[in-house]
Amino acid sequence: MEARSTTDGARCPGCGTWSSRVHGSYLRFPADLPSAGRRVVLALRVRRLACFARSCPRRTFVEQVDGLTRRHGQSTERLRSAVAAVGLALAGRAGERMVRLLGLRGSRSTLLRRVMELPDLPVGAPTAIGVDDFALRKGHVYGTVIIDATTHRVLDLLPDRDASTLGPWLADQPQVEVICRDRASAYAEAASSDAPQAQQIADRYHLWHNLTQAVERTVLDHRSCLNSLPMIEPEPEPQWETPLPADDSADVEEEIEQPADPTGRMAERRIVHHALVHELLERGMSMREVARHLGWSRYTIRRYAHAARWQDMMKDRRPRASKLDPFKPYLVRRWEETGGKITGRVLFEEITARGYRGGLTLLAQWKRQALIAPDSAPPPPPPPSIRQVTGWLTRHPAGLTLDEEVQRKAILAHCPELDTAAGLVTSFAEMLTRLEGEHLTEWITAAMTSGLAGISTFAAGLNNDYDAVHAGLTTHWNSGPVEGTVNRIILWNQLCQAAVVIRWLSWSAVWPLLGQRPLQPGVGQIHLGSR
């Protein structure tokens, strides 16, 4: 398709002076969108115009057609927009396949370039922001991400997580009215000093996380109650008495004496496969035809065909021989001689002197399973751990199993301090889920007078940050969007580090073939912690 511009002149891109003096012309062939499935190429006649401005560094320039061409462009603006739209939707290899299907031009790299060329949408002046830190190298390199709490778009990335860096950024944004943050003191200090007009919102997730840590410290202080907890006897299962007919007693005894069939997923597959193979063989198909029909090997079909019952296809899983087998009679005899009061270490030394070449772990496992001290009661169950009790106190009661609920009630009845902590946790959870921040003062007073060190410290921290905590328990603002952004940043950083390592490993395998020595990672080439 041949075309040319009909305007009298054009403006110089260097100085903006209008010029109509033609210096020369030539043809451009930008690619365009296909028409009716056929490729379209424009034969565009463009003019080179002369610029008369003495201050302009340009002497000549080429006219551009608005909405059609750009400088050094090999495709029209319509084609670039279409490829960019596909890149935004699919990107990568999937986008490349779709571009080819639509008859457009563009590789996966071209799609990414078109996406990167798109202008950023106007951000405007945010009135509510979310602030949180992220780690590029945990313990070494940290940064701060700032997002718009309304649109969830990233506004800026700061090189550290200090108040001295966040403060100037907040000072340049006087229109900010809401700041969602975690419990970090640096962000609270920066918001108070450089954005006093903004309302600070303490995130509810971090409040609950801090309360969980306080409850764990409280349980740790009262771990003696867990060690002295009386053993909980499980309720016996109901026994159902079903009278058996007198004339069928012999048949029942025979059925009891017969071994039970194997159960499980493997047994279910063996039943179905055995019935299928025998059904196909009964139809007159040969083993070769059955194997070809099912896609199995002939050896597998032969095994099923020769098995009269599906139970014959189950493998006999007998215990494997171990290095401890020749010494088991000696171990049993020594265990009986000492009345079960000999330690595993002594037994290990004795059988090692007699030629045992195994490890102590194998002996310990067999000792726990096979050797039982005579006239000794089974060991009592261990007390619940600190982590378990903390979970029982901080989880929703509907998420507890029946056994966990029984143990929780027993612990609270045995330890009044933990019962008080459970009541405080329940009241704080109701206040947090229902956004009833007006009860915060009462809760802080009850927590600080409870005598529980961990929860009292947590309540004192809430009192020091009262305004932000009260706003977090009464408004809908939260730091959920900024936490999602942090997760995406961390994931992208991990992917980049993995790509660098994979690339270095691939070159390490290629360079020896070229007779060159590969560089060590981190020496003038790559640094995994760099930004």
Side-chain angles (χ1 to χ4, degrees), residues 143-214:
T144 298
V145 58
I146 305 174
I147 72 165
D148 191 334
T150 304
T151 61
H152 303 172
R153 292 187 57 196
V154 177
L155 300 176
D156 203 349
L157 294 176
L158 305 181
D160 52 39
R161 52 176 182 176
D162 299 333
S164 58
T165 305
L166 179 62
W169 192 94
L170 293 176
D172 296 337
Q173 305 291 334
Q175 78 285 348
V176 174
E177 301 176 356
V178 175
I179 300 177
C180 301
R181 59 172 177 83
D182 55 10
R183 303 295 307 287
S185 58
Y187 295 153
E189 178 184 352
S192 300
S193 60
D194 296 283
Q197 79 285 352
Q199 181 185 23
Q200 301 182 40
I201 308 294
D203 184 51
R204 293 187 289 274
Y205 166 78
H206 292 91
L207 291 174
W208 184 256
H209 180 67
N210 295 339
L211 177 62
T212 302
Q213 294 176 340

Side-chain angles (χ1 to χ4, degrees), residues 251-260:
D251 298 338
V252 172
E253 292 179 357
E254 293 180 359
E255 291 180 359
I256 294 177
E257 293 177 358
Q258 294 179 357

Side-chain angles (χ1 to χ4, degrees), residues 183 201-212 394 396 423-441 443 458 462 468-479:
R183 303 295 307 287
I201 308 294
D203 184 51
R204 293 187 289 274
Y205 166 78
H206 292 91
L207 291 174
W208 184 256
H209 180 67
N210 295 339
L211 177 62
T212 302
T394 55
H396 196 280
L424 292 173
V425 169
T426 301
S427 58
F428 190 86
E430 293 177 354
M431 181 171 54
L432 186 143
T433 54
R434 299 175 182 176
L435 296 182
E436 297 176 349
E438 59 272 9
H439 304 306
L440 179 61
T441 304
W443 190 92
F458 170 72
L462 296 184
V469 174
H470 183 269
L473 296 178
T474 54
T475 62
H476 69 281
W477 297 104
N478 61 82
S479 298

Side-chain angles (χ1 to χ4, degrees), residues 71-203:
R71 191 182 182 193
H72 302 306
Q74 298 181 1
S75 59
T76 62
E77 293 299 306
R78 299 194 307 166
L79 180 58
R80 297 173 72 94
S81 301
V83 173
V86 175
L88 282 175
L90 299 175
R93 290 184 173 86
E96 181 181 2
R97 292 192 294 268
M98 180 58 68
V99 163
R100 292 179 181 176
L101 183 63
L102 296 176
L104 308 179
R105 292 177 57 186
S107 62
R108 53 178 180 169
S109 301
T110 302
L111 265 67
L112 296 180
R113 286 198 303 271
R114 296 293 178 265
V115 172
M116 297 298 293
E117 291 173 357
L118 293 176
D120 294 334
L121 297 178
V123 176
T127 57
I129 64 172
V131 182
D132 200 359
D133 63 331
F134 60 91
L136 292 177
R137 289 184 65 198
K138 201 163 188 177
H140 298 276
V141 181
Y142 285 90
T144 298
V145 58
I146 305 174
I147 72 165
D148 191 334
T150 304
T151 61
H152 303 172
R153 292 187 57 196
V154 177
L155 300 176
D156 203 349
L157 294 176
L158 305 181
D160 52 39
R161 52 176 182 176
D162 299 333
S164 58
T165 305
L166 179 62
W169 192 94
L170 293 176
D172 296 337
Q173 305 291 334
Q175 78 285 348
V176 174
E177 301 176 356
V178 175
I179 300 177
C180 301
R181 59 172 177 83
D182 55 10
R183 303 295 307 287
S185 58
Y187 295 153
E189 178 184 352
S192 300
S193 60
D194 296 283
Q197 79 285 352
Q199 181 185 23
Q200 301 182 40
I201 308 294
D203 184 51

Side-chain angles (χ1 to χ4, degrees), residues 372-402:
I372 302 176
D375 302 331
S376 62
S385 64
I386 305 297
R387 183 70 59 87
Q388 286 178 328
V389 177
T390 304
W392 296 342
L393 296 181
T394 55
R395 284 160 53 191
H396 196 280
L400 300 177
T401 62
L402 183 59

Side-chain angles (χ1 to χ4, degrees), residues 22 26 30-31 45 56 63 69 102 121 152 160 208 214 246 279 299 313 397 413 422 428 444 476 478 486 514:
V22 179
Y26 65 95
R45 174 70 64 176
C56 182
E63 63 176 346
T69 63
L102 296 176
L121 297 178
H152 303 172
D160 52 39
W208 184 256
E279 180 182 358
Y299 173 74
M313 295 297 300
F428 190 86
I444 292 177
H476 69 281
N478 61 82
V486 169
L514 302 178

Side-chain angles (χ1 to χ4, degrees), residues 22-37:
V22 179
H23 183 272
S25 64
Y26 65 95
L27 287 176
R28 295 182 62 180
F29 300 94
D32 197 11
L33 290 174
S35 176

